Each structure stands twice: as C-alpha cells, then as structure tokens.
Amino acid sequence: MTGPAGGGGGDPAGGARGPVPSGPAVLVPHDPQWATLAVERLTELRRALALLVDVDACTFDHIGSTAVPGLAAKASIDLQVRAPVLPEPAALDAALAPLGWVPAPGSRPDSPGVFRDIPAPGETEPEWVWAKRLFISSNPARPAILHLRLSASPFGRRTVAFRDRLRVEPDLRVAYEELKRQLAAAHAGDSDYDDYTRGKSAFIRAATAR
C-alpha cells in the first residue's frame, strides 16, 4: 500500500538544504514568548500552505517542550502541521522558502525523524503513514523546527498527546525535565543532539501508551 499521493516519503531531489544541526542539546528556562512566536509562525504557515493543501483539513500544532509552560527546553520552537496528504517536495519547498524554512538534512544518515518517523513497538500501521518532511528555520534569530506529517500519523497524534499530558501533570513534567537534564549532561560532548533525542523516546512512548 502506498497511501495518499504526495512527495513526503523520501529525500526530495534538488533545492536548498537547511543547516545541519550541530552541537549538543543545551536547555534553557522556559520563555513565555515561545507561545506567541509559535502562533505567529503557524499563522504564516497556514497562509503559505493554502495553495497546496486544504488547510481547513490540516492541524497546526505547537509541540515539544517549548509548548509546555515551566518546562526547560532547547531554545528552538517545535511546530507541527498534520495534513491529509504531503505536498510534492518541490512545491512544498518553494512555498516555505519565503518564510525562511529550508529542508533539514539531518546531522547523520540515521538521524531520527527527517523523512519518516519510527513506529513504536507493536504499532502495525502501514508504512506510508510514517512519511514526513522536516524543515529548519534559516534565520538564527528565529530558531525553529517544522515537522510536516500526515493526519493519519500515529506519531503526530502522540506528540500532541504527550504535550497535553505535560501541561496538566506536574509530576510527569518534573520527571521529564530531569530525564532531559540527565541526557543533556550525558551527551554534552556530542557533535549533535541525535542521541539526546533518542534517549527520550521510551519515556514519551510510555507516557502516551496509558
């Protein structure tokens, strides 16, 4: 089964590429301005994508730790768009370029979540639902990451469910921040934050399986 039409299943040919994420994860205290900046950027994205997809059928999310008040985070806003289909790569890249979004190449060949998400153990959804595109803001003054996933993606639903639990459960939020700090310290000498990201996966899966 190939799933919905669209170009999100592989590395698109040609076009500019974003800066390769470098350096270890550095956590900073939560900034209340992150929520405002996320709304602004999601509004821009909605306008930019209107010619490519039915934006009324899409979901625009502020996800990740910057979306959770009181939680320390990397100072880069995580945004997510969930769409019924992924637009063709060339058209999508062209639509997002004026906003400063460029395709992310990943820092390693096996960097997680660049062109597809990894199913959790026991998930049996068809291969096509895990396709995605990842973009990075080219403006260092506006650090942000954009995850474009299919509406059918279990991973997309899981990111929102985890955010929502962190917002309302202080004990879970404290435990997650402690894990993040431990991982940041353990990988402080790394050249990227891939292993820091992988280290959080089991915690997130457990929190969203309940």
Side-chain angles (χ1 to χ4, degrees):
M1 182 173 185
T2 58
D11 187 358
R17 291 292 178 269
V20 176
S22 61
V26 177
L27 304 180
V28 300
H30 186 87
D31 184 345
Q33 282 295 106
W34 286 335
T36 301
L37 295 172
V39 170
E40 292 175 355
R41 301 204 75 162
L42 289 171
T43 300
E44 293 174 349
L45 285 165
R46 186 180 182 91
R47 288 196 295 263
L49 293 172
L51 296 178
L52 301 181
V53 295
D54 177 4
V55 292
D56 290 332
C58 297
T59 306
F60 294 79
D61 309 303
H62 179 198
I63 59 171
S65 295
T66 62
V68 181
L71 182 61
K74 300 191 304 295
S76 180
I77 296 171
D78 273 285
L79 306 175
Q80 174 178 267
V81 177
R82 290 178 283 169
V85 298
L86 298 184
E88 290 298 327
L92 180 60
D93 295 356
L96 298 184
L99 301 181
W101 294 107
V102 287
S107 56
R108 311 183 203 173
D110 64 343
S111 289
V114 177
F115 298 112
R116 67 182 301 273
D117 291 312
I118 305 302
E123 288 182 318
T124 59
E125 285 78 7
E127 183 70 18
W128 62 264
V129 305
W130 305 101
K132 68 172 290 190
R133 290 293 308 281
L134 185 68
F135 292 83
I136 297 177
S137 172
S138 62
N139 184 348
R142 302 181 75 198
I145 298 174
L146 171 62
H147 308 258
L148 185 64
R149 295 181 165 107
L150 288 164
S151 301
S153 169
F155 204 102
R157 294 193 296 271
R158 189 154 58 236
T159 61
V160 174
F162 186 55
R163 177 203 67 190
D164 291 347
R165 283 201 62 192
L166 288 171
R167 285 176 170 176
V168 299
E169 299 184 30
D171 290 347
L172 183 70
R173 188 165 61 246
V174 169
Y176 185 53
E177 180 167 319
E178 177 58 26
L179 172 63
K180 281 154 55 82
R181 293 192 182 281
Q182 290 174 0
L183 289 168
H187 296 286
D190 290 4
S191 60
D192 57 47
Y193 49 80
D194 280 5
D195 289 336
Y196 165 87
T197 298
R198 290 189 182 92
K200 299 183 294 180
S201 297
F203 185 100
I204 295 170
R205 285 199 299 266
T208 52
R210 299 173 190 171

